[in-house]
Amino acid sequence: SSSVSQSLIRIVAKIRRSRPGLAVTDSGGPVALRAYPSAQGQVITQIPNGTTVTVLGQYRGWYVVLYGESIGYANAAFIQL
């Protein structure tokens, strides 16, 4: 539900180590935000090239990213810190 999502966003936003990142691809295409850290992970949404996101953490070559109201994994190769 929306209220659960909003609560999760508020909690995650309080993580002290969060920092901005920039979604960048060589092709100029979008960066996939995935449900789990794998190229086979379901795509939650696409982050437009050049968009600033909030990086919440890192896991095995993937960043945990907050983009709008979505939280997921983005390949670290496409996020500049």
Side-chain angles (χ1 to χ4, degrees):
S1 77
S2 180
S3 62
V4 172
S5 299
Q6 290 299 319
S7 296
L8 179 60
I9 288 168
R10 280 194 294 274
I11 290 165
V12 172
K14 292 179 182 178
I15 296 174
R16 284 176 287 171
R17 292 185 179 174
S18 68
R19 56 193 185 263
L22 190 65
V24 178
T25 61
D26 290 338
S27 67
V31 175
L33 187 67
R34 297 184 180 274
Y36 59 94
S38 166
Q40 287 73 47
Q42 178 185 354
V43 176
I44 298 169
T45 190
Q46 299 280 351
I47 305 168
N49 189 54
T51 300
T52 298
V53 297
T54 301
V55 176
L56 303 171
Q58 186 173 6
Y59 180 79
R60 295 184 179 180
W62 295 78
Y63 286 128
V64 181
V65 169
L66 172 65
Y67 169 63
E69 294 186 1
S70 299
I71 297 171
Y73 295 89
N75 190 315
F78 303 120
I79 304 293
Q80 292 180 358
L81 300 181

